[in-house]
Amino acid sequence: MRILAIETSCDETALSVVDASGGLENSRFEVLENLIISQIDVHRPWGGVVPNLAKREHQKNLPKLFTKLKERINLTSIDLVAVTSGPGLAPALWQGIEFAKKIGEEYNKPVVGANHLEGHLYSVLLPRKQDTASTKIQTPNPKESISGMEFGAWNLEFPAVALLVSGGHTILALFKSLTEYEKLGETRDDAVGEVFDKVARMLELPYPGGPEIERVAKDGNPKAIDFPRPMIHEPSYDFSFSGLKTAVLYHLRDHSPAVTTPLKIRGAGGSYDQRADIAASFQAAAVDVLTQKTLRAANEFAARSVFIGGGVAMNKALRHELAKKCQEEGLVFAAPDNAYNTDNAVMIAAAAYINHLTGKTYSMEAQPNLNL
Ligand code: KG4
Ligand code: ZN
């Protein structure tokens, strides 16, 4: 089945064409086109995503990408059009939905909605490049396989615990099978990606902050500052990251000789090492909470695999720590290729295909608060 998918929930305008085949036990995805226009430069001066600017950019970029797509693919060969119906920014989502409807009418094809969060998690089913060795995430499966599934190079086994970490969400979920899942917990306040972005801003690093924190943290000592690990020992699988963010803020206020306002340290020399230690220590605290809770859930529910998805899944410290702990516990650890961790439309095609196989549907209305 050939799927044309559209993603406009936040600040990436993305179109893809994916050939999907196989059943739930052996789904295969061949990515024919993966087009993305990032709006990062448009939003950077504002320090975050501005919904109406996002809408305007999607409106401008969708026809551009579609023209490109038409030059490369004969669109009469498409079987299904899929579009993110949520969660995300309502004005941004509507742009994609209206565009999908237009394509559906023009080419007389069925159009379906898709859940962005399922997209992030089903990214683990997408093909991988061979260069993942550098992130050391390939874990041979040391356990005897009961319900093993070959997805790309992963041998994903269920039950599995999934960790979704993005700019808008932090969710732990238990997957009894590829399609039967339940949420175990989620953040009670800020999403972990949002906190990476906010801490980066405190350190006067540009938006989006996650990759910047990771870059700066490389030169820092993760043990330099003992930041709190909120809710790490609480029995619930919920998270809370706003306390960690505030701890970084107070640290800057109380300890930085270069502080000019509570939020800012002078960017000039002298403060760099300090920023590296702060970034590394903050990252270590966030990774610690995420890893410990994920592994505890995996133990409690006798999971055989752990997999991750979402923008923060790009973070090497997180991938490395999870891979290490999973290996120690004899669990399969699976992470999508970096190309599919941040927002893209290939993951929307994957989610739409899995839902197509089970008959699950999402409406063609924007659902800003759609959850797992
Ligand atoms: O999944 P995504 O592209 O968009 C949402 O659905 O939210 O995630 C974006 C988030 C941003 O907060 C960004 O700072 C974070 O992912 N991010 C990272 C890294 N790369 C992106 N966070 C930590 N380390 C990274 N390397
Ligand atoms: Zn996303």
Side-chain angles (χ1 to χ4, degrees):
M1 162 178 264
R2 184 162 288 183
I3 304 175
L4 184 161
I6 301 175
E7 155 63 38
T8 62
S9 67
C10 193
D11 59 349
E12 321 279 353
T13 315
L15 283 188
S16 71
V17 175
V18 175
D19 276 349
S21 59
L24 289 174
E25 303 274 311
N26 60 352
S27 51
R28 290 268 182 282
F29 299 94
E30 190 187 341
V31 181
L32 304 183
E33 293 293 341
N34 177 17
L35 307 178
I36 303 180
I37 299 181
S38 168
Q39 303 176 7
I40 282 175
D41 291 341
V42 176
H43 299 287
R44 186 173 283 135
W46 307 94
V49 180
V50 184
N52 276 330
L53 281 183
K55 174 189 163 175
R56 189 195 70 189
E57 291 298 303
H58 289 311
Q59 201 166 15
K60 195 173 76 188
N61 294 336
L62 278 168
K64 270 195 212 167
L65 291 184
F66 191 59
T67 304
K68 210 183 233 181
L69 204 66
K70 274 196 294 194
E71 287 164 9
R72 301 189 191 180
I73 302 241
N74 174 3
L75 292 187
T76 58
S77 66
I78 300 291
D79 300 301
L80 181 69
V81 179
V83 60
T84 305
S85 37
L89 305 167
L93 290 164
W94 276 118
Q95 289 301 315
I97 292 170
E98 294 304 337
F99 201 79
K101 284 184 187 161
K102 261 200 333 225
I103 298 175
E105 271 165 32
E106 192 180 335
Y107 291 87
N108 196 22
K109 305 290 178 190
V111 187
V112 295
N115 183 334
H116 184 89
L117 304 180
E118 288 181 347
H120 274 308
L121 291 174
Y122 289 138
S123 292
V124 78
L125 309 179
L126 295 170
R128 295 188 305 143
K129 291 195 204 82
Q130 294 309 307
D131 61 357
T132 46
S134 60
T135 54
K136 297 195 176 68
I137 54 166
Q138 277 164 313
T139 324
N141 175 19
K143 273 191 184 168
E144 178 197 348
S145 167
I146 17 173
S147 58
M149 295 186 186
E150 274 285 321
F151 292 118
W154 304 124
N155 191 14
L156 207 55
E157 294 179 14
F158 295 92
V161 165
L163 175 67
L164 168 51
V165 276
S166 70
H169 295 84
T170 309
I171 298 177
L172 256 184
L174 177 66
F175 278 68
K176 292 184 188 120
S177 70
L178 188 61
T179 52
E180 296 167 287
Y181 60 76
E182 70 182 79
K183 204 163 61 178
L184 297 175
E186 65 191 319
T187 184
R188 293 185 183 172
D189 39 57
D190 294 357
V192 65
E194 192 181 345
V195 173
F196 267 85
D197 293 335
K198 286 176 178 166
V199 168
R201 210 183 314 169
M202 292 179 203
L203 299 177
E204 296 187 341
L205 297 166
Y207 175 85
E212 291 294 318
I213 294 273
E214 178 167 8
R215 182 179 61 80
V216 173
K218 281 198 192 99
D219 297 323
N221 172 8
K223 295 197 171 124
I225 306 144
D226 189 19
F227 285 130
R229 270 87 170 140
M231 296 184 71
I232 198 163
H233 297 303
E234 279 191 32
S236 118
Y237 289 111
D238 282 349
F239 299 93
S240 164
F241 289 103
S242 77
L244 174 57
K245 173 187 71 185
T246 311
V248 177
L249 181 65
Y250 288 169
H251 178 88
L252 283 172
R253 188 193 61 188
D254 297 341
H255 294 90
S256 171
V259 167
T260 50
T261 74
L263 266 178
K264 290 187 176 175
I265 51 175
R266 265 189 273 275
S271 58
Y272 184 77
D273 284 343
Q274 211 173 318
R275 291 205 302 187
D277 279 351
I278 294 167
S281 301
F282 156 74
Q283 181 174 268
V287 166
D288 220 11
V289 176
L290 293 169
T291 308
Q292 285 208 30
K293 290 214 139 175
T294 304
L295 266 291
R296 184 149 57 78
N299 262 317
E300 179 174 342
F301 296 100
R304 301 181 70 86
S305 313
V306 166
F307 65 98
I308 55 173
V312 184
M314 300 265 277
N315 188 279
K316 287 201 191 66
L318 176 64
R319 289 164 85 104
H320 185 82
E321 203 51 31
L322 278 170
K324 198 176 83 187
K325 289 274 159 38
C326 285
Q327 198 157 28
E328 285 166 14
E329 303 274 328
L331 295 161
V332 175
F333 174 62
D337 232 41
N338 271 343
Y340 303 124
N341 275 320
T342 48
D343 291 349
N344 65 86
V346 177
M347 70 183 198
I348 300 306
Y353 183 66
I354 298 299
N355 286 330
H356 167 79
L357 292 177
T358 59
K360 186 174 176 184
T361 55
Y362 286 96
S363 85
M364 291 291 295
E365 301 275 308
Q367 298 170 72
N369 300 317
L370 187 63
N371 210 311
L372 263 191

